[in-house]
Amino acid sequence: MMNHFYSYLAGLIDADGSLYARLKKNRTYRFDYQVVPSVVIFQHEKHKHSLQLIHNKLKLGAIRKRNDHMLELVVSRHSEVKQLLEKILPFLIIKKE
């Protein structure tokens, strides 16, 4: 049953999501920067309930509200990103690479 959820999630990320890494200033690191990977799903705030259902089932990341009436479900802890990608990778099509 969970495979259906991760298949759905992969499709949602392929369509309305983003996979990226960014450099974040952090002087406590060797090179003054930290690599922060993220998996993000975007939805309009009118779909807050649906995004909350996904977040509750996923039990990873956090929901943030933007100023343009959009919501983001953001997973950015290294261990959580790895855990999520391992589950959805078999089902990704567009963003598999």
Side-chain angles (χ1 to χ4, degrees):
M1 188 69 156
M2 283 303 282
N3 274 351
H4 288 91
F5 174 69
Y6 290 114
S7 174
Y8 169 81
L9 200 55
L12 188 58
I13 290 168
D14 265 346
D16 289 327
S18 183
L19 307 170
Y20 64 89
R22 66 184 173 95
L23 291 177
K24 178 181 174 185
K25 278 194 175 265
N26 187 336
R27 295 188 180 192
T28 64
Y29 276 65
R30 183 175 173 194
F31 299 107
D32 293 334
Y33 288 94
Q34 171 184 6
V35 176
V36 180
S38 295
V39 178
V40 185
I41 298 170
F42 305 95
Q43 288 292 297
H44 193 274
E45 66 185 6
K46 68 183 176 183
H47 301 293
K48 181 179 182 176
H49 179 71
S50 299
L51 197 61
Q52 188 65 52
L53 287 173
I54 293 167
H55 182 241
N56 291 344
K57 188 164 186 142
L58 191 58
K59 295 181 174 62
L60 299 174
I63 295 177
R64 294 191 304 213
K65 184 176 179 181
R66 300 183 344 189
N67 291 334
D68 60 354
H69 304 287
M70 293 296 289
L71 300 172
E72 301 175 335
L73 172 53
V74 182
V75 179
S76 58
R77 286 189 174 165
H78 284 260
S79 61
E80 291 183 353
V81 169
K82 183 178 184 216
Q83 178 184 344
L84 179 56
L85 289 177
E86 286 173 349
K87 303 277 189 186
I88 65 169
L89 188 61
F91 306 108
L92 286 174
I93 297 172
I94 297 169
K95 295 178 177 148
K96 190 166 198 143
E97 289 184 32

